[in-house]
Amino acid sequence: MRVTKFEHATLTIVEAGKTIVVDPGSFTAPLADLGEVVAIVLTHEHPDHWTPDHLDRLLKAHPGTPIYAPEGVARAATGYDVTVVHPGDTVDLEPFRLEFFGGKHAVIHDSIPVIDNLGVLVNGEFYYPGDSYAVPRGARVRLLAAPVGAPWLKIGEAMDFVLAVAPRQAFGTHDMTLSRIGKDMGRARLRWAVEQDGGEFLVLEPGDATDL
């Protein structure tokens, strides 16, 4: 299974020539050469995690691709056929098994409503929490995509999240709001956290991939 990081929060997961696209949002360049796309997963409704332009391009190139997302996305993405998923749900799409965790976006501020958000665990090995610190209880995560910069993120809480998941490997994501210095500082903190349980931190830039 190959996981590729793109700009900000966008990821692809490829296995046996089939592809899942996760969170193609406003900070991400158009995606191409994706192979056979079997699913699009949107963790929540904020535009840095999905845009109509991205969905239109993907669905034009890959007609009929199912979109899996929480209820908030279904309400926001009117005109798109969204399959609503909830915490605890599983979806089998050969060769993938998707499991969903969490339920709510991390708090940005008391004045801003808390929206739906789901983390996704792929094949029991790769986990991405969206905009949350939801831990996939019971999973032995081999690879974690850990948010490193956001209006809702405090780096100490992000470190605690990595410590709680205790993956074998981790890389930083959700990072387009950071300067180069900010990315390096955040990555250094997450590196420390993953190494506490003997894990390894990977530095992935947009377009870089790693194999499980």
Side-chain angles (χ1 to χ4, degrees):
M1 187 166 65
R2 170 162 287 193
V3 177
T4 302
K5 171 184 164 51
F6 294 91
E7 296 91 350
H8 197 53
T10 303
L11 307 162
T12 61
I13 304 106
V14 178
E15 175 80 7
K18 298 184 178 181
T19 302
I20 294 173
V21 178
V22 180
D23 282 0
S26 57
F27 299 153
T28 304
L31 303 172
D33 302 323
L34 296 175
E36 182 184 352
V37 178
V38 297
I40 300 166
V41 175
L42 307 178
T43 61
H44 64 283
E45 66 202 68
H46 287 158
D48 59 327
H49 291 256
W50 83 280
T51 68
D53 286 346
H54 273 300
L55 288 190
D56 290 345
R57 277 190 297 266
L58 288 167
L59 294 173
K60 182 178 180 180
H62 309 277
T65 301
I67 301 168
Y68 296 96
E71 291 182 4
V73 174
R75 291 191 296 268
T78 56
Y80 295 95
D81 185 10
V82 176
T83 299
V84 172
V85 285
H86 303 90
D89 285 352
T90 61
V91 175
D92 289 307
L93 293 165
E94 186 63 31
F96 299 107
R97 181 176 179 84
L98 309 180
E99 301 173 66
F100 296 94
F101 294 85
K104 293 298 180 182
H105 193 286
V107 174
I108 301 171
H109 187 264
D110 289 345
S111 66
I112 300 173
V114 176
I115 62 171
D116 296 332
N117 178 93
L118 289 174
V120 59
L121 178 70
V122 182
N123 289 354
E125 295 185 316
F126 169 63
Y127 183 62
Y128 170 57
D131 282 12
S132 80
Y133 299 124
V135 174
R137 300 295 180 189
R140 300 185 66 180
V141 176
R142 286 184 59 193
L143 178 65
L144 172 68
V148 69
W152 49 271
L153 187 147
K154 178 181 177 181
I155 196 63
E157 294 173 347
M159 293 164 69
D160 285 341
F161 168 67
V162 174
L163 289 168
V165 176
R168 295 293 81 217
Q169 294 181 312
F171 65 91
T173 187
H174 207 284
D175 54 11
M176 286 290 283
T177 60
L178 299 178
S179 67
R180 169 52 59 187
I181 292 172
K183 286 183 184 181
D184 290 344
M185 290 176 63
R187 287 168 172 173
R189 298 301 185 187
L190 297 189
R191 181 188 301 277
W192 177 89
V194 74
E195 288 178 350
Q196 298 314 294
D197 199 52
E200 176 188 15
F201 187 81
L202 307 176
V203 175
L204 299 185
E205 302 295 348
D208 290 346
T210 187
D211 294 320
L212 283 77

